[in-house]
Amino acid sequence: MKIQEYVNRILNQGAVHVTLIDPSRQTSEAAGRLAETAQEVGSDLIFVGGSSGVSQQTLTQTCEAVKQRVQIPVLFFPTGTDSISLNLDAFLFLSLLNSRNSKFVSGTQSKIASVLKRLEIETLSVGYILVEPGMKLGEIGEAELVARDNFWQAIGYALTAEFMGMSYVFLEAGNGAAQPVPAGMIRAVKRELSVPLIVGGGIRTAIDARRVRQAGADIVVTGTVIEAAGYRERLRSILSALKD
Ligand code: 1GP
């Protein structure tokens, strides 16, 4: 429970920012440096994962390098990969609610649940909902993407997660999406929901971050923004838009 308590403590004061590190995008050493910068500018959490086909070795090395460089919690984000890391501070136990393939809803999860329990790894349960364009995550996860104007469907999935007892709802536009989840959809979902709302995908600027935050995102995830030159300043401005 300790990571969830840490997240809740920050949520009591305002927004939580997460930096997502995709192990397939840089060397493990560079990943460690990125994580350190994210911590320096004020990120509250690091997620590692989120890509398909990353080898177990690359994942393990990246996790180790990131853990060595930061004190903020590092969580494993298991989308679309068979490799897993059990050495981080907690495990995001995601269920892709709008997948056509039950493997992504509960199949893969059922294969690792006992291991997580035996190793006493903290899990954070997340109802994961892919919204258009969904990008690679939508393809890999065989998602019936929620259309950007179908607020009722997004609300339906979000309440499904809440009624099933999940701790968080995650509206995801996909890694590298041209635009974030629409503000109107975030607002509509937030109005109905009692658990914290995570929003990610396509958030690249302070304006994007402010917009999703003002619409109701409690936890904001950014990934791609750290992959280009000048990322420190960009991340800093995203953080100040979120934390002001
Ligand atoms: C994590 O997929 C997001 O939820 C990250 O997306 O890379 O577009 O920031 P970006």
Side-chain angles (χ1 to χ4, degrees), residues 104-177:
F104 298 106
V105 183
S106 59
T108 307
Q109 294 82 338
S110 71
K111 297 198 177 102
I112 51 170
S114 309
V115 176
L116 296 174
K117 166 105 182 162
R118 293 221 168 18
L119 295 177
E120 296 181 17
I121 293 170
E122 182 177 347
T123 51
L124 276 69
S125 65
V126 179
Y128 195 46
I129 304 161
L130 276 166
V131 176
E132 286 177 340
M135 312 301 284
K136 195 100 186 127
L137 288 171
E139 268 171 54
I140 296 165
E142 298 173 47
E144 300 260 19
L145 297 174
V146 175
R148 293 178 70 80
D149 60 358
N150 196 343
F151 296 3
W152 282 110
Q153 195 179 29
I155 292 170
Y157 277 121
L159 287 179
T160 297
E162 181 174 327
F163 295 165
M164 284 176 159
M166 293 173 180
S167 304
Y168 303 89
V169 166
F170 192 151
L171 288 177
E172 169 74 88
N175 199 277

Side-chain angles (χ1 to χ4, degrees), residues 20 77 137 170 172 174-177 200-204 221-225:
L20 169 70
F77 183 61
L137 288 171
F170 192 151
E172 169 74 88
N175 199 277
I203 300 163
R204 294 235 217 302
V221 184
T222 63
T224 306
V225 82

Side-chain angles (χ1 to χ4, degrees), residues 46-116:
I46 306 284
F47 288 175
V48 179
S51 72
S52 57
V54 60
S55 71
Q56 186 61 47
Q57 193 190 15
T58 305
L59 177 67
T60 305
Q61 285 170 348
T62 301
C63 290
E64 272 168 17
V66 168
K67 275 301 290 169
Q68 270 168 17
R69 302 284 282 255
V70 298
Q71 288 80 48
I72 54 174
V74 185
L75 279 68
F76 180 59
F77 183 61
T79 46
T81 175
D82 290 331
S83 313
I84 59 169
S85 173
L86 301 174
N87 293 328
L88 299 178
D89 299 303
F91 196 99
L92 280 184
F93 205 72
L94 299 181
S95 173
L96 176 48
L97 297 176
N98 56 331
S99 176
R100 283 185 298 273
N101 187 338
S102 66
K103 166 177 151 186
F104 298 106
V105 183
S106 59
T108 307
Q109 294 82 338
S110 71
K111 297 198 177 102
I112 51 170
S114 309
V115 176
L116 296 174

